Amino acid sequence: MKLETLGAKSYLSLAPYDAEIVYADKYISVRTRNNSNFYWGNYIITNASFVDYDLDKARQLFCRAFDLSDMAHCAVFFDNALSKSEVEGDSGSFWQHPNISKTEILVLNQAGRAKDTSVNVKPIETEEEWAQVIELQTKVYDAEHDDILRDLVTNRILSARKTVHECSGVWIGAFVERELVGDLFLSFASNEFGCLDQVETSPKFRRKGIATKLLAFASEMTLRHLGSQRMLVEAEIDSAGSATYQRFGFRPIEVVASLEEAFVR
């Protein structure tokens, strides 16, 4: 399967370090054994035309890819760039199903300027700093089962640390004195662009220019590693996060969609 959208390429770029990636004719599967029930620890990428724009067929394809007779979850990223009519379509259309999530992919070609703030931005290095990353990444979620979420976050961070060790990415933190107040992950797995993920700011430090300082540092790292400042990031459509990225210089280039379901029977 040949990918068409930058969104799909970015998902592969951000695949966990220990993921098993299988390329088939009509899908690409990404399996992460240590996060087997996490939506984006195990997912497939396919084109909606390959499942005839039918969610049941998409679920069946997910089961076939992972050799499942039953599912705890279903996660399918559709390698389709949606048109305006598809984004705003009738409530009964395929793309308007309540379990379909639509997001926008934004691209940065030239970085903007960050606000002057008193934060220190640097790569995450020490065990103390990595422990703070787990705390911050767990804190920003409003989760019913904090213990389960912490395990998922911890496994994701362990995978990211392996990526960092192999020089295929960097986790960047913003510190006020010794406190981590914001962070993001930057992948260099693609030679075409840097790919951002897990961009977070501590709730009490939001609207203080932390995110733009992180983005500025990430653009410098991308330039150093890839020879350009081109970065991709995914955001909810018309969200505060999207507005922050656009103020820094990102531009939305496509809308993509995914099917996310838990405990499908």
Side-chain angles (χ1 to χ4, degrees):
M1 177 182 170
K2 184 178 179 180
L3 298 179
E4 298 181 2
T5 63
L6 284 174
K9 292 178 181 179
S10 72
Y11 267 77
L12 273 190
S13 177
L14 292 167
Y17 177 83
D18 52 352
E20 301 169 12
I21 302 176
V22 176
Y23 292 81
D25 287 341
K26 294 190 175 182
Y27 67 85
I28 298 171
S29 66
V30 179
R31 181 193 298 268
T32 311
R33 295 188 182 278
N34 65 2
N35 271 354
S36 59
N37 289 323
F38 184 48
Y39 282 27
W40 296 111
N42 293 270
Y43 58 93
I44 64 171
I45 300 173
T46 190
N47 193 288
S49 64
F50 293 161
V51 293
D52 300 323
Y53 295 87
D54 184 317
L55 290 186
D56 283 336
K57 290 184 178 180
R59 297 177 186 115
Q60 292 165 12
L61 186 61
F62 179 87
C63 283
R64 188 160 70 247
F66 290 102
D67 194 24
L68 299 172
S69 58
D70 199 3
M71 300 183 273
H73 81 280
C74 179
V76 181
F77 183 91
F78 294 106
D79 186 29
N80 301 78
L82 275 61
S83 65
K84 183 177 181 180
S85 62
E86 288 172 327
V87 173
E88 302 173 351
D90 297 333
S91 59
S93 69
F94 176 83
W95 298 115
Q96 303 306 317
H97 189 279
N99 290 353
I100 292 282
S101 300
K102 292 183 283 292
T103 55
E104 57 187 1
I105 303 299
L106 300 98
V107 172
L108 176 77
N109 290 312
Q110 185 172 356
R113 298 184 62 182
K115 294 180 181 178
D116 246 346
T117 65
S118 59
V119 300
N120 175 33
V121 179
K122 60 182 285 295
I124 299 296
E125 298 172 316
T126 69
E127 291 299 326
E128 178 187 354
E129 290 169 354
W130 282 111
Q132 288 195 67
V133 168
I134 294 174
E135 289 300 320
L136 179 56
Q137 289 288 323
T138 304
K139 183 193 304 181
V140 297
Y141 291 98
D142 182 17
E144 180 181 354
H145 303 291
D146 288 341
D147 53 339
I148 297 175
L149 176 64
R150 181 173 293 276
D151 287 344
L152 293 173
V153 170
T154 300
N155 285 333
R156 174 176 279 191
I157 301 306
L158 287 173
S159 176
R161 291 185 68 169
K162 294 176 183 177
T163 301
V164 171
H165 181 72
E166 295 295 324
C167 300
S168 296
V170 59
W171 206 292
I172 301 168
F175 293 84
V176 172
E177 296 180 352
R178 295 175 62 89
E179 180 183 359
L180 181 70
V181 298
D183 65 343
L184 61 78
F185 179 63
L186 171 63
S187 169
F188 303 124
S190 168
N191 291 325
E192 300 177 49
F193 48 77
C195 196
L196 297 173
D197 194 25
Q198 306 300 117
V199 184
E200 302 292 356
T201 303
S202 177
K204 65 180 181 180
F205 284 93
R206 288 173 183 165
R207 302 184 185 279
K208 297 181 184 295
I210 305 295
T212 53
K213 289 283 283 189
L214 287 165
L215 294 172
F217 192 92
S219 69
E220 293 171 8
M221 296 289 288
T222 303
L223 179 62
R224 188 182 309 170
H225 280 260
L226 301 180
S228 78
Q229 293 181 321
R230 193 170 194 234
M231 295 191 297
L232 295 188
V233 68
E234 179 185 23
E236 294 183 12
I237 299 171
D238 296 330
S239 65
S242 177
T244 296
Y245 298 134
Q246 292 187 56
R247 282 195 297 272
F248 188 72
F250 282 84
R251 294 294 176 262
I253 58 165
E254 64 187 17
V255 174
V256 293
S258 58
L259 169 67
E260 304 175 28
E261 297 176 317
F263 303 108
V264 178
R265 294 291 184 266

